[in-house]
Amino acid sequence: EDQVTQSPEALRLQEGESSSLNCSYTVSGLRGLFWYRQDPGKGPEFLFTLYSAGEEKEKERLKATLTKKESFLHITAPKPEDSATYLCAVWSGSNTGKLIFGQGTTLQVKP
Amino acid sequence: SAVISQKPSRDICQRGTSLTIQCQVDSQVTMMFWYRQQPGQSLTLIATANQGSEATYESGFVIDKFPISRPNLTFSTLTVSNMSPEDSSIYLCSVRTGGNEKLFFGSGTQLSVL
């Protein structure tokens, strides 16, 4: 069964304190791994898609990396506006194309 | 990308009643998806709605409880029927564009059932 686990559940950082969020997955043939950002009361906002191990993508202070078993979302010198819940999702070859989401990591960045 | 308008944005409903949520997309899309996000939980797919065919429901979700309409390529509705407090969740509409699995989401409907 496809499974996605994110850690930690919650993370508190001081502004400028870099860290990483983890997404571990077990799927039958990974076709894509997705990162989303979700602000309270809003729908998830697409950040990145990673397709193969070794792939990396960057956007402002965020950098996503992928291995055969996990993905990391690195946040460099975060700002308070980076505070949100970050969701990881996988698309595998074993289903009809639906995404399986992790529980999310809620990030709080204090000034 | 796609711009997705979802309404209502929030509602408070009485037990036993039904609520229909609307999802409008600014471009034609083949597949539309309805997700549920219960408090403190991640997103769970309810069903996939393809235009011109019956919606496909995930395990644990049935058509009598969550009927879906998909009259054209830009619009869909999800009805939450005979509501109970356990139905209190955020309901999200999403669409797939560009031939890949990138999903775009609406802003969601926050439903509270008393």
Side-chain angles (χ1 to χ4, degrees):
Chain A
E1 181 182 344
D2 297 342
Q3 198 165 9
V4 180
T5 303
Q6 291 188 246
S7 61
E9 289 187 13
L11 181 63
R12 286 186 175 183
L13 299 174
Q14 289 296 129
E15 184 172 2
E17 179 186 3
S18 301
S19 187
S20 297
L21 282 55
N22 177 263
C23 172
S24 298
Y25 62 89
T26 305
V27 297
S28 302
L30 180 72
R31 298 178 68 177
L33 185 141
F34 301 80
W35 283 99
Y36 287 86
R37 168 189 171 131
Q38 186 174 26
D39 293 298
K42 296 188 177 181
E45 174 189 348
F46 172 80
L47 293 174
F48 303 109
T49 308
L50 301 168
Y51 292 102
S52 58
E55 189 174 1
E56 299 182 352
K57 289 194 176 174
E58 290 187 64
K59 179 181 180 180
E60 297 181 352
R61 295 176 292 282
L62 301 177
K63 178 180 178 180
T65 62
L66 181 65
T67 71
K68 289 186 177 180
K69 294 186 176 181
E70 58 191 349
S71 177
F72 292 94
L73 184 65
H74 306 278
I75 303 177
T76 303
K79 298 182 178 181
E81 52 262 42
D82 294 322
S83 298
T85 296
Y86 291 86
L87 298 168
C88 170
V90 296
W91 171 36
S92 80
S94 65
N95 59 50
T96 58
K98 70 179 183 181
L99 296 189
I100 308 297
F101 282 83
Q103 298 291 92
T105 294
T106 300
L107 172 66
Q108 183 180 26
V109 181
K110 293 189 172 184
Chain B
S1 64
V3 176
I4 305 169
S5 301
Q6 192 174 332
K7 58 181 181 181
S9 58
R10 59 178 61 240
D11 206 342
I12 300 173
C13 301
Q14 295 297 319
R15 180 195 299 261
T17 63
S18 298
L19 176 72
T20 295
I21 302 167
Q22 298 180 8
C23 179
Q24 179 76 51
V25 189
D26 68 341
S27 59
Q28 294 184 339
V29 294
T30 303
M31 301 181 77
M32 295 179 76
F33 305 87
W34 288 97
Y35 281 83
R36 181 175 74 181
Q37 188 174 29
Q38 294 179 299
Q41 304 293 316
S42 191
L43 281 71
T44 301
L45 181 64
I46 298 172
T48 302
N50 293 327
Q51 194 269 336
S53 63
E54 293 286 331
T56 302
Y57 289 82
E58 296 298 309
S59 176
F61 298 97
V62 296
I63 187 171
D64 290 345
K65 176 67 175 178
F66 298 101
I68 288 172
S69 77
R70 183 79 200 274
N72 57 53
L73 291 174
T74 64
F75 187 78
S76 178
T77 67
L78 170 76
T79 298
V80 186
S81 303
N82 189 24
M83 289 183 285
S84 66
E86 292 71 35
D87 295 319
S88 298
S89 293
I90 299 173
Y91 292 85
L92 293 154
C93 167
S94 69
V95 301
R96 175 187 301 161
T97 67
N100 57 40
E101 293 308 301
K102 184 187 298 185
L103 287 187
F104 295 95
F105 287 86
S107 55
T109 296
Q110 175 80 61
L111 171 61
S112 297
V113 184
L114 304 178

